[in-house]
Amino acid sequence: MIDPFGRTITYLRVSVTDRCDFRCIYCMCEDMTFLPKAELLTLEELDRMCSAFVRKGVRRLRLTGGEPLVRRNIMSLFRSLSRHLKSGALDDLTLTSNGSQLSRYAHELAGYGVTRINVSIDSLDAGKFAAITRRGRLDTVMEGLAAAKDAGLAIKINTVALKGVNDDEFHDLVAWCGDQGFDLTFIETMPMGEIDEDRTDRYLPMPVVRRRLAERWTLRDTDYKTGGPARYVDVAETGRRIGFITPLTHNFCESCNRVRLTCTGTLYMCLGQDDAADLRAPLRASESDHLLDAAIDEAIARKPKGHDFIIDRDHNRPAVARHMSVTGG
Ligand code: SAM
Ligand code: SF4
């Protein structure tokens, strides 16, 4: 799959549910309306979708959400998708999770060929963690991380940088990740979906985060790339990596290799644009995949050059109406 700008699409992220057991302040409102269950693709349909993309050249597959591990019977999807790892068609099957269910599933995931996971933690302070997630418990997530380590999974922590909320903890997070053997990525808040507060108040640009970290840690630029939007540095003192994701700058659009599928079968060709393609209708219209394949080709041919995110006082409305939990992080 090659888009009009010559970018080869090799990475598919799939939001397997828009539901979540947390309500993180920057991601959702307290009172979310979720999709009716009847709208969702079944797990078998999600497998068929993913397999069509793998056949067309996707090498990396990430399941996300919402919280992927709260979808009922989600392990059966990991189990079925693991056949593409075994056949060599897929290089990487992974997930992004809030960690709340990891102690239950970590070993099973490893058994299906998952080797690394991303887990989101925005604070190491139990009270603050509860306030940010509105429903989460830090100790449960910590137990999940211990299980994941025990299962041999490599772990990357995602932290959304929030001015006035967790910006006093960045050094602690770097030190803790160093001790635990985790990589760490800081993310800027993105203007996606209505939340209960004004995002401009929390927005902290990555150059500021990096400058603050450099006051205490020796950061060395690296050319390490995961095919994702993060820029990485090595931390001399801990020997671990830190990534910085700056979605509001355009520095990653030109190398964008990914598309995103929602749990209703809508394909978003760009995280920051509203244009999307319905793949559910062609999937359901025929038992063979020829309609689906044609719809995927047509969608890739429309992948836009880049996004239009802006966060400042003049642009404090969401750039796209959907929440991040619809398309996944
Ligand atoms: N529930 C899982 C989790 O929290 O990791 C997976 C889905 S979550 C939408 C994926 C990532 O997106 C998380 O790291 C989360 O912190 C981040 N995220 C959610 N809303 C965001 C926003 N508006 N701006 C920046 N990052 C956001
Ligand atoms: Fe749930 Fe993840 Fe959004 Fe938090 S960031 S509300 S854990 S989907």
Side-chain angles (χ1 to χ4, degrees):
M1 292 181 287
I2 298 178
D3 81 358
F5 303 95
R7 296 169 297 192
T8 306
I9 309 305
T10 54
Y11 186 9
L12 176 69
R13 295 171 85 110
V14 185
S15 176
V16 297
T17 173
D18 64 328
R19 289 169 196 254
C20 187
D21 50 344
F22 291 4
R23 296 284 183 280
C24 301
I25 48 171
Y26 51 80
C27 178
M28 296 191 178
C29 21
E30 177 92 63
D31 203 9
M32 286 289 285
T33 311
F34 294 111
L35 291 164
K37 292 219 168 93
E39 293 269 308
L40 302 195
L41 296 181
T42 64
L43 293 172
E44 291 73 22
E45 287 173 327
L46 278 169
D47 178 271
R48 219 180 118 196
M49 286 278 190
C50 293
S51 301
F53 277 94
V54 170
R55 208 174 46 241
K56 284 182 158 295
V58 157
R59 307 284 319 173
R60 298 176 61 202
L61 201 51
R62 177 178 296 275
L63 303 195
T64 172
E67 174 48 39
L69 298 183
V70 301
R71 172 130 189 200
R72 187 185 307 200
N73 210 12
I74 189 66
M75 286 301 119
S76 69
L77 182 59
F78 279 100
R79 184 173 56 236
S80 64
L81 290 174
S82 69
R83 72 186 184 281
H84 299 303
L85 289 171
K86 287 199 197 99
S87 76
L90 196 61
D91 296 329
D92 196 24
L93 173 62
T94 181
L95 76 155
T96 302
S97 169
N98 66 21
S100 68
Q101 314 294 316
L102 261 183
S103 38
R104 206 163 132 207
Y105 292 128
H107 282 86
E108 212 175 331
L109 286 167
Y112 298 141
V114 174
T115 56
R116 55 190 195 93
I117 57 172
N118 289 3
V119 179
S120 305
I121 296 186
D122 302 316
S123 174
L124 294 173
D125 174 275
K128 220 190 266 183
F129 183 88
I132 295 171
T133 61
R134 293 191 179 114
R135 310 212 170 157
R137 288 186 54 115
L138 185 63
D139 52 358
T140 310
V141 174
M142 290 295 173
E143 282 162 22
L145 285 173
K149 257 172 109 168
D150 186 60
L153 299 176
I155 296 165
K156 184 161 76 70
I157 301 295
N158 283 346
T159 300
V160 177
L162 299 163
K163 186 158 61 179
V165 177
N166 64 1
D167 49 352
D168 56 340
E169 287 194 59
F170 295 162
H171 294 312
D172 293 346
L173 279 157
V174 173
W176 175 72
C177 284
D179 289 345
Q180 297 289 322
F182 302 157
D183 286 337
L184 172 62
T185 296
F186 288 102
I187 309 173
E188 283 173 355
T189 51
M190 295 179 231
M192 299 187 65
E194 291 286 352
I195 53 171
D196 298 321
E197 55 174 47
D198 181 353
R199 282 198 179 84
T200 344
D201 295 338
R202 301 269 172 254
Y203 177 57
L204 198 57
M206 280 304 116
V208 176
V209 176
R210 188 182 164 148
R211 230 177 3 254
R212 285 206 204 151
L213 291 180
E215 288 165 11
R216 165 131 160 231
W217 307 94
T218 315
L219 308 179
R220 298 201 183 107
D221 284 315
T222 81
D223 333 328
Y224 177 75
K225 282 215 166 63
T226 56
R231 292 274 163 88
Y232 289 92
V233 296
D234 286 327
V235 185
E237 290 84 353
T238 65
R240 304 301 316 179
R241 242 187 311 263
I242 299 182
F244 299 98
I245 301 192
T246 55
L248 305 189
T249 57
H250 276 256
N251 62 21
F252 63 81
C253 294
E254 65 271 18
S255 59
C256 181
N257 61 356
R258 61 193 56 198
V259 287
R260 294 172 158 87
L261 184 71
T262 73
C263 54
T264 57
T266 302
L267 188 74
Y268 284 93
M269 286 72 84
C270 171
L271 184 62
Q273 299 277 3
D274 281 325
D275 186 31
D278 173 33
L279 299 184
R280 185 175 59 182
L283 177 94
R284 288 186 175 167
S286 167
E287 271 178 26
S288 100
D289 283 343
H290 66 283
L291 292 175
L292 176 62
D293 286 353
I296 294 174
D297 292 342
E298 195 270 333
I300 299 298
R302 290 206 321 261
K303 186 167 160 64
K305 192 163 182 213
H307 63 69
D308 296 324
F309 286 144
I310 309 174
I311 290 195
D312 63 29
R313 291 280 162 203
D314 298 330
H315 301 86
N316 59 5
R317 310 283 310 149
V320 291
R322 63 186 189 278
H323 289 89
M324 182 75 105
S325 47
V326 173
T327 23

